[in-house]
Amino acid sequence: MPVRESLQAARTHGATRWQRKVQAYRVEIMTDRYSRQVLFSGIGAAGQEKVRRGRILLVGCGALGSVIAEILVRAGIGRITIADRDYIEESNLQRQALFTEEDCRSGLPKAVAAARHLRAINSSVDIYPEVLDVRASTIEALVREQNIILDGTDNFETRYLLNDASLRWNIPWVYGACVGAYGMSVAFIPYVTPCLRCILPLLPPPGSSPTCDTVGVIGPIVHVVGALESAEALKLLTGQGNQLNRKLVTMDLWTNQLAAMDLSAQKPDSDCQACGQGKLEFLDGLHEGHADMLCGRNAVQISRLVPRPVDLEAIAKRLSELGPVTHNEFLLKAKIGELELALFRDGRAIVKGTQDFGEARRVYSRFIGD
Ligand SMILES: [Zn+2]
């Protein structure tokens, strides 16, 4: 029986005051935008209220981040902070589901464009875009007061940093990764489950594993892994850690292989450098360089140890004497010979068209300064 009619029937048949109250409450939640989620027994009205109070840090808003952000913003979380260091390019549109051709033409940073689309999807969610590189020097301000950290990154340096941050500030985080048609995901609860470094003690050497740059990536796997991460986030937000998938799930959507390594019997490893020995060296910045290769980009990122704001307009004017320059309030792009330089307000730059750290650094020092 439809809810409104059932409420009418309850009145007609002399239902008690309590029954009428329950019916009225049902009308409220059934007509609410979250009704289908509230109907789901794993969430219910009480769970929805917890979701509404949930605070998420999403690190990386490319392919995985787009999927995760959309699912959780539609689910009605309270607040999401989206940290991303990159801007949108045409080659992103094949799989980065939040972005449009217009975003690409506008040269917007991903965090800013994502926030605009997400606000149009659900205006009741507080959305904070942060255009920055998540590093040892920037992460504390981002993780403060968050309930969960979600991995939308494309590199292990940042994931090890997230793992350290999760341990220091006692915040669960959900790992996810994709390349080709292959993907994996698992949730980590500090000092309860093994941490990332219990499973993978050492940072894989550069070039040792396939990347989106070398073998590409297809949209479907991104959506599957993004969905897995989001489901774990909903369980955590609603206080149902017991429902978490305690398996490291891996799958290949092309060769149809699906595997799950059961971690449920594993405790945090007392020999683990991070959770066992308390050496949070990624948080101490011991592994950070000033230049990083970017996944899938034929590009090098140049960062300052401490972000230092630059005057984009003045630099754009100066560089325009050398070649075409475009800029908006977030970044400028300049063509310098065969290279393209994108400079952000915090002084960080992405030099596109090279994988040579030295060349990228030379371009930065020569045209932006030290
Ligand atoms: Zn560990």
Side-chain angles (χ1 to χ4, degrees):
M1 186 187 292
V3 180
R4 282 181 198 285
E5 286 164 35
S6 123
L7 178 61
Q8 190 59 43
R11 283 200 186 107
T12 315
H13 295 99
T16 64
R17 198 162 156 251
W18 170 249
Q19 283 169 322
R20 286 202 298 273
K21 211 169 160 185
V22 169
Q23 286 288 10
Y25 182 61
R26 277 190 63 206
V27 171
E28 194 176 276
I29 59 173
M30 292 293 285
T31 52
D32 186 76
R33 72 181 284 165
Y34 305 112
S35 59
R36 301 306 185 275
Q37 194 163 280
V38 168
L39 270 175
F40 173 64
S41 62
I43 294 187
Q48 184 62 37
E49 180 52 25
K50 290 178 183 166
V51 170
R52 192 188 64 76
R53 290 197 304 254
R55 299 183 300 269
I56 301 276
L57 170 63
L58 173 63
V59 179
C61 194
L64 270 179
S66 280
V67 173
I68 296 165
E70 183 180 345
I71 291 176
L72 294 177
V73 164
R74 285 190 190 276
I77 52 168
R79 188 178 88 178
I80 184 167
T81 304
I82 301 169
D84 192 283
R85 63 188 180 184
D86 212 349
Y87 58 93
I88 301 159
E89 292 185 294
E90 195 179 18
S91 67
N92 301 149
L93 299 179
Q94 159 256 355
R95 66 195 177 284
Q96 303 193 6
L98 274 180
F99 306 126
T100 65
E101 292 179 359
E102 182 53 34
D103 295 330
C104 189
R105 278 192 292 274
S106 311
L108 287 176
K110 290 181 183 178
V112 172
R116 288 182 185 173
H117 293 301
L118 293 165
R119 285 182 188 126
I121 287 169
N122 192 344
S123 57
S124 66
V125 179
D126 291 330
I127 298 167
Y128 297 99
E130 296 285 356
V131 183
L132 49 70
D133 193 19
V134 176
R135 301 173 75 90
S137 57
T138 56
I139 195 164
E140 184 174 357
L142 293 169
V143 298
R144 208 175 290 140
E145 295 176 12
Q146 306 288 4
N147 301 127
I148 309 173
I149 305 168
L150 290 169
D151 177 13
T153 69
D154 57 7
N155 66 86
F156 269 102
E157 289 87 345
T158 312
R159 291 190 182 108
Y160 277 48
L161 178 67
L162 299 185
N163 191 64
D164 278 5
S166 152
L167 294 167
R168 171 145 321 156
W169 289 288
N170 202 22
I171 302 169
W173 77 285
V174 187
Y175 159 76
C178 306
V179 65
Y182 177 80
M184 61 173 76
S185 179
V186 68
F188 296 110
I189 312 292
Y191 309 108
V192 174
T193 68
C195 80
L196 177 64
R197 291 195 71 190
C198 293
I199 299 171
L200 196 63
L202 296 175
L203 194 61
S208 61
S209 35
T211 67
C212 308
D213 196 16
T214 53
V215 301
V217 60
I218 58 169
I221 189 63
V222 169
H223 284 256
V224 175
V225 174
L228 287 173
E229 288 193 61
S230 306
E232 299 309 273
L234 288 175
K235 294 172 194 172
L236 287 165
L237 287 178
T238 54
Q240 295 171 84
N242 59 329
Q243 289 292 118
L244 283 180
N245 189 351
R246 297 288 305 277
K247 299 185 178 101
L248 171 66
V249 180
T250 59
M251 77 206 77
D252 189 309
L253 299 183
W254 216 256
T255 59
N256 310 310
Q257 285 162 322
L258 181 65
M261 183 175 36
D262 193 353
L263 302 173
S264 58
Q266 287 194 36
K267 297 270 170 258
D269 182 351
S270 55
D271 290 333
C272 169
Q273 289 292 301
C275 72
Q277 306 289 316
K279 293 180 187 152
L280 305 180
E281 49 201 39
F282 289 84
L283 207 49
D284 294 333
L286 297 183
H287 293 267
E288 285 186 358
H290 306 288
D292 308 284
M293 296 288 291
L294 298 186
C295 169
R297 298 284 304 279
N298 186 31
V300 174
Q301 173 182 255
I302 307 286
S303 330
R304 294 179 186 277
L305 207 53
V306 179
R308 201 166 70 200
V310 292
D311 184 344
L312 287 181
E313 204 151 325
I315 296 172
K317 204 170 159 194
R318 202 170 72 224
L319 292 179
S320 65
E321 291 164 17
L322 304 168
V325 178
T326 55
H327 76 103
N328 57 34
E329 60 182 300
F330 307 104
L331 67 131
L332 74 76
K333 282 191 209 167
K335 193 107 176 95
I336 298 173
E338 295 300 302
L339 303 178
E340 186 181 274
L341 174 85
L343 178 69
F344 293 82
R345 279 191 308 206
D346 61 2
R348 189 169 51 81
I350 292 173
V351 183
K352 199 178 156 195
T354 182
Q355 299 188 22
D356 180 339
F357 288 164
E359 185 182 22
R361 286 215 138 279
R362 274 194 299 281
V363 166
Y364 188 94
S365 327
R366 194 162 156 211
F367 298 103
I368 311 301
D370 289 316

